[in-house]
Amino acid sequence: MRTISRVSKTSNPTPEVAPVRWDSPLAALPRLTPARLRALHGAGLQTVHDLIRHYARRHEDRRKFPAFPSAAPPEPLCLRGTVQSVRSTYFGRRSQFTLVLAEKSGHLPAATVQCRWFNLRYLSKILQAGQDLVIHGRPRALKKGGLVFDHPDFEVLESDAPDSALIHLNRITPVHPSIGIWSPRALRRLIFETLAQISGQAIPQLWPASPATAAGRADGTQPNHLTTATALRAIHFPASEDEFESARTHLAREELFEMQCVLARQRARQTGGRAPVIPRQSKLLARFLKALPFDLTTAQKRVLTHIFDDLATGHPMNRLLHGDVGSGKTVVAATAMLGAIAAGHSAALMAPTQVLAHQHYENFRKLFEPLGVPVILRTAARQEKSGASGPRIVIGTHALLFAPEIVGRPALVVIDEQHKFGVRQRAKLSGQEPHPHVLVMSATPIPRTLALTLYGDLDLSLLDEMPPGRLPIRTLVRAPEKLGEAAAFLRQKLDEGRQAYLVYPVIEEGARTGLKAATAEYARWSERLAPHSCALLHGRLKADEKDVIMASFRAGETRVLVSTTVIEVGIDVANATVLLVENAERFGLAQLHQLRGRVGRGADQSWCILLAGEEAGDKIERLKILEEASDGFSIAEADLELRGPGDLLGTAQTGLPPVRLAKLPRDLPLLEEARSAAQKLMAHDPELTDHPALQVRLGFWEKQLFAGVA
Ligand code: ADP
Ligand code: MG
């Protein structure tokens, strides 16, 4: 609290300085050299507002420094001391800079720690004995005794201005990501002084009615009286950990709301246009379903009802069909596409890879040609001429979706295995005239947080039932020594007439040692398994080479496919019942689950053998999750827990406003609140006439969203 009141005291606008406003360009800030201004512009910061949204990457509690530890602590810590000595050592082109930091306790001899940096020669010019230093990091115990910090963060506490101690010390101190020539310390000063200059100004609240302000925090512990302006101050210079958390929550709500508004508007735009009416009932559909060798599952029927309801409205459908590997998404797509044909329109199915496009092409030809429906394959490598001019089925790769001269203007577009096909691509698709109906299909299990963000512009249907009669895949995790046994088992299955996939993490042995490579192993397996024929399939082969190999495998001539993750999605050969993965620890659990989906596609027992590499260590334990779990959702959750959400959210690629302060999945309740608030707002005030600040922000993001789609 004390620091905050001091801040506002220094902030009384002094008459001689031109007033800086929260929305002024950065050039309005006093004492910025052109080079320093350029650096900020270079990082995309244009206004004062952009600058104060450059959040700290962490805070250090510099109110009271701990005593120097004598044993390695479990968490990183922040120490203050005096540089006792420095030393540079060189080994050829490599160098090491070592520094001894002594505690300022008054006790003698003073406790010390070592700090080391490698190959950073310039440090010898910056760090000298006698300096007052703050370091942050996690030390290790040295064998000969004492503690060492390797590459700690550091800050020299020289008094560069009279108020130095006020800004950099005796507080919960922000450490900002440096920007070009701006060190964290210089940025801290700039942001501190800028906040002081704009204090008292009202920064528009993006979220119109903030329930957390009106009704207190959701958990009811403490009312939250922050405004956006005070939250922006507290996110940098909080008076307490609680204040930081309130500020973070306030700003996280705002950023999630902004993102959800973009999605809500996008959704409105996608579903607001006009699209052809495609009725469900037709003789063609009835004939097709009757000719299928199986009955649709209840889940498939339910999902088709959703889809045909959408197709009949006269507005574009935008639906995500989510179903675990092998749940039978393709036949759902085929049925919907045939509906379009029956109504006199064309339909397109876009796959992420050429191999998959080719497979769909083969299957659709078998399904549709008896009905007299033309099926055409269009990939970058293959653009066969077609005589057909009427309604037709076009199969292609994602990349061709934005090439209407190649795929035409289908009334229905199905996007298979969409994980690389984001909000941005869909926005571009919805910008086409006339709007197509869009069905996106995915087997990637989607945690709720992702469904609400990356797919927030789509309606969701779930295929939560497997076709009947499938035996669960038997999954075995084994140590590398078991390779011989695995090979014997494989041969036995091949002798019984089955086929197999063998998967490797890399194509060729290269810099990364210790990994088995598909090319080398292909040679070994060809010998081991002779006379059963093996083929090598990987992403670097030419499209027509891949086509030939896949055709031969599908026909059962090639018995074993030695491959990389190119076979990860979609491939469907029911006679293949064994999947063997070497160096399995190199794959994510969700990815292994996808790979495992290549087998277990027929009525026979299938096997998934995961051989760990020599250096897998305790990662074998993680793989064992797959022995027990068979559904994608629980596996994805385990994966998310083990590996973290990574950069799934808020990356530049998605074209959405970044999520910088919200922590997901922890802030899922905030996200849901933001979503319903955004939808309500868009229903009442779609043009945002009553919300000018939000209108400006959304205009900005929408420009980003439509820009730069490949
Ligand atoms: P995915 O959802 O992974 O794309 P596919 O559409 O490739 O799955 O279907 C997997 C296999 O299941 C295919 O061989 C398909 O013919 C078969 N299949 C789909 N629906 C059914 C059903 N209702 N009954 C039996 N087999 C089905
Ligand atoms: Mg599929």
Side-chain angles (χ1 to χ4, degrees):
M1 271 304 138
R2 195 170 46 107
T3 42
I4 288 298
S5 62
R6 272 202 237 166
V7 172
S8 43
K9 250 182 235 158
T10 56
S11 69
N12 292 331
T14 33
E16 57 271 30
V17 180
V20 171
R21 284 185 44 81
W22 68 272
D23 54 354
S24 303
L26 286 175
L29 292 175
R31 296 190 305 275
L32 273 191
T33 64
R36 294 209 159 246
L37 188 60
R38 258 199 316 279
L40 296 175
H41 285 167
L45 310 183
Q46 299 294 338
T47 65
V48 167
H49 186 243
D50 295 339
L51 173 68
I52 57 179
R53 296 234 177 217
H54 183 68
Y55 303 128
R57 79 189 136 85
R58 65 154 199 277
H59 282 80
E60 290 176 2
D61 190 346
R62 296 189 185 171
R63 290 171 298 188
K64 188 172 183 314
F65 290 93
F68 276 33
S70 49
E75 300 286 331
L77 82 173
C78 187
L79 297 179
R80 179 180 182 179
T82 308
V83 179
Q84 196 175 64
S85 63
V86 296
R87 190 180 75 231
S88 293
T89 5
Y90 300 94
F91 330 84
R93 281 166 50 227
R94 294 181 303 147
S95 68
Q96 177 181 332
F97 183 77
T98 315
L99 169 157
V100 177
L101 192 70
E103 186 166 27
K104 295 205 247 180
S105 63
H107 301 294
L108 283 172
T112 59
V113 294
Q114 269 192 51
C115 301
R116 291 193 302 203
W117 292 269
F118 299 97
N119 303 323
L120 291 177
R121 293 185 182 218
Y122 70 91
L123 287 180
S124 59
K125 300 208 177 72
I126 301 172
L127 294 168
Q128 289 141 23
Q131 280 170 335
D132 191 0
L133 206 65
V134 171
I135 59 168
H136 181 275
R138 194 173 147 204
R140 296 184 294 112
L142 284 167
K143 281 211 188 78
K144 56 179 195 233
L147 292 177
V148 64
F149 286 76
D150 278 326
H151 283 250
D153 266 14
F154 68 92
E155 189 172 320
V156 181
L157 296 174
E158 69 219 358
S159 312
D160 50 359
D163 57 355
S164 229
L166 169 70
I167 299 176
H168 306 294
L169 276 176
N170 303 322
R171 62 161 67 250
I172 300 175
T173 309
V175 180
H176 296 94
S178 36
I179 296 179
I181 52 177
W182 288 91
S183 67
R185 184 176 170 89
L187 277 170
R188 185 185 305 135
R189 170 175 289 280
L190 178 72
I191 290 171
F192 183 89
E193 289 171 350
T194 306
L195 283 168
Q197 280 169 304
I198 63 168
S199 100
Q201 294 175 19
I203 297 176
Q205 204 104 338
L206 287 186
W207 193 319
S210 165
T213 307
R217 285 221 306 242
D219 59 8
T221 46
Q222 181 193 350
N224 179 348
H225 294 304
L226 290 177
T227 61
T228 299
T230 51
L232 278 169
R233 180 184 318 287
I235 199 74
H236 294 282
F237 297 100
S240 64
E241 271 151 37
D242 280 351
E243 195 189 57
F244 174 82
E245 187 47 31
S246 309
R248 190 196 69 82
T249 308
H250 181 98
L251 296 171
R253 287 177 80 248
E254 272 196 347
E255 74 185 11
L256 292 172
F257 179 66
E258 194 176 344
M259 173 182 74
Q260 288 299 320
C261 284
V262 172
L263 287 169
R265 275 249 281 226
Q266 187 48 34
R267 226 185 108 74
R269 190 168 292 120
Q270 277 165 189
T271 48
R274 299 215 62 81
V277 173
I278 296 174
R280 170 161 207 169
Q281 291 307 329
S282 80
K283 285 207 191 95
L284 199 57
L285 277 179
R287 267 172 65 202
F288 171 71
L289 292 174
K290 208 159 155 235
L292 277 182
F294 46 74
D295 292 326
L296 295 181
T297 62
T298 316
Q300 283 169 326
K301 287 182 193 152
R302 186 185 60 234
V303 162
L304 276 167
T305 308
H306 297 165
I307 292 172
F308 276 103
D309 284 352
D310 287 355
L311 293 177
T313 58
H315 298 292
M317 166 172 77
N318 274 284
R319 188 166 285 281
L320 172 64
L321 169 55
H322 180 260
D324 209 342
V325 267
S327 60
K329 295 182 288 294
T330 316
V331 70
V332 171
T335 312
M337 291 167 80
L338 198 63
I341 299 283
H345 304 283
S346 289
L349 173 68
M350 316 310 273
T353 64
Q354 307 217 358
V355 170
L356 205 47
H358 204 97
Q359 173 184 292
H360 280 317
Y361 172 64
E362 302 275 314
N363 284 343
F364 275 61
R365 264 203 340 202
K366 266 188 233 131
L367 289 172
F368 288 159
E369 282 183 350
L371 303 170
V373 176
V375 181
I376 300 162
L377 179 66
R378 292 281 161 91
T379 66
R382 171 112 83 110
Q383 298 182 11
E384 66 179 34
K385 291 268 175 300
S386 76
S389 57
R392 63 192 116 156
I393 301 282
V394 182
I395 313 272
T397 42
H398 286 171
L400 294 186
L401 203 47
F402 302 114
E405 67 284 4
I406 298 177
V407 293
R409 294 267 183 214
L412 166 63
V413 174
V414 180
I415 298 160
D416 192 21
E417 304 294 351
Q418 58 58 58
H419 34 275
K420 287 176 195 101
F421 201 85
V423 178
R424 186 172 253 185
Q425 280 77 10
R426 293 194 293 273
K428 169 137 183 203
L429 202 55
S430 73
Q432 292 187 355
E433 279 303 330
H435 291 262
H437 295 286
V438 177
L439 179 67
V440 174
M441 306 201 292
S442 171
T444 311
I446 310 162
R448 182 136 180 80
T449 44
L450 289 183
L452 289 178
T453 51
L454 298 181
Y455 310 111
D457 58 329
L458 297 170
D459 294 311
L460 178 67
S461 290
L462 212 58
L463 215 46
D464 53 2
E465 179 189 355
M466 284 289 171
R470 297 261 179 88
L471 292 168
I473 300 164
R474 298 274 301 272
T475 300
L476 310 167
V477 177
R478 293 291 182 265
E481 303 84 75
K482 299 286 182 179
L483 177 62
E485 275 170 50
F489 177 77
L490 190 59
R491 171 172 274 287
Q492 182 197 330
K493 291 292 152 194
L494 293 173
D495 290 342
E496 287 169 16
R498 301 289 164 228
Q499 290 169 275
Y501 301 99
L502 310 181
V503 180
Y504 291 88
V506 290
I507 300 177
E508 265 158 47
E509 283 158 356
R512 292 202 285 166
T513 49
L515 287 188
K516 292 203 178 181
T519 310
E521 295 306 316
Y522 160 66
R524 288 203 189 106
W525 284 110
S526 297
E527 255 172 54
R528 261 186 217 134
L529 298 174
H532 298 295
S533 64
C534 301
L536 175 66
L537 181 78
H538 58 71
R540 277 197 229 135
L541 295 178
K542 292 210 190 75
D544 47 359
E545 293 172 325
K546 286 187 216 160
D547 284 351
V548 170
I549 293 167
M550 278 313 299
S552 159
F553 188 68
R554 222 172 277 129
E557 289 150 16
T558 295
R559 314 301 307 286
V560 178
L561 211 50
V562 181
S563 183
T564 57
T565 52
V566 285
I567 63 153
E568 182 177 338
V569 290
I571 290 180
D572 185 36
V573 176
N575 190 46
T577 58
V578 185
L579 173 85
L580 182 134
V581 185
E582 290 206 66
N583 281 124
E585 77 284 357
R586 302 297 299 225
F587 300 88
L589 295 184
Q591 193 174 27
L592 287 170
H593 178 64
Q594 285 280 339
L595 282 167
R596 177 167 67 175
R598 293 317 109 221
V599 296
R601 297 188 153 245
D604 297 303
Q605 178 64 58
S606 283
W607 305 83
C608 167
I609 304 167
L610 303 175
L611 286 181
E614 299 289 349
E615 285 155 29
D618 54 5
K619 288 190 189 138
I620 288 197
E621 289 311 308
R622 180 180 67 109
L623 292 175
K624 293 212 163 130
I625 294 173
L626 288 165
E627 286 187 339
E628 307 295 324
S630 61
D631 80 295
F633 267 98
S634 58
I635 290 162
E637 262 161 33
D639 223 17
L640 211 64
E641 241 164 69
L642 284 164
R643 313 197 312 163
D647 60 352
L648 283 170
L649 285 172
T651 58
Q653 271 202 336
T654 67
L656 290 174
V659 174
R660 290 187 290 183
L661 292 171
K663 300 243 187 326
L664 295 166
R666 198 177 102 195
D667 285 328
L668 183 58
L670 281 185
L671 179 59
E672 294 189 323
E673 196 192 335
R675 178 175 168 86
S676 58
Q679 284 173 346
K680 236 182 251 154
L681 178 66
M682 291 307 155
H684 286 118
D685 184 14
E687 296 309 315
L688 297 172
T689 25
D690 296 336
H691 302 89
L694 193 59
Q695 193 180 42
V696 172
R697 298 295 302 160
L698 293 200
F700 171 80
W701 285 116
E702 281 164 8
K703 230 165 90 197
Q704 305 273 305
L705 197 58
F706 287 103
V709 186

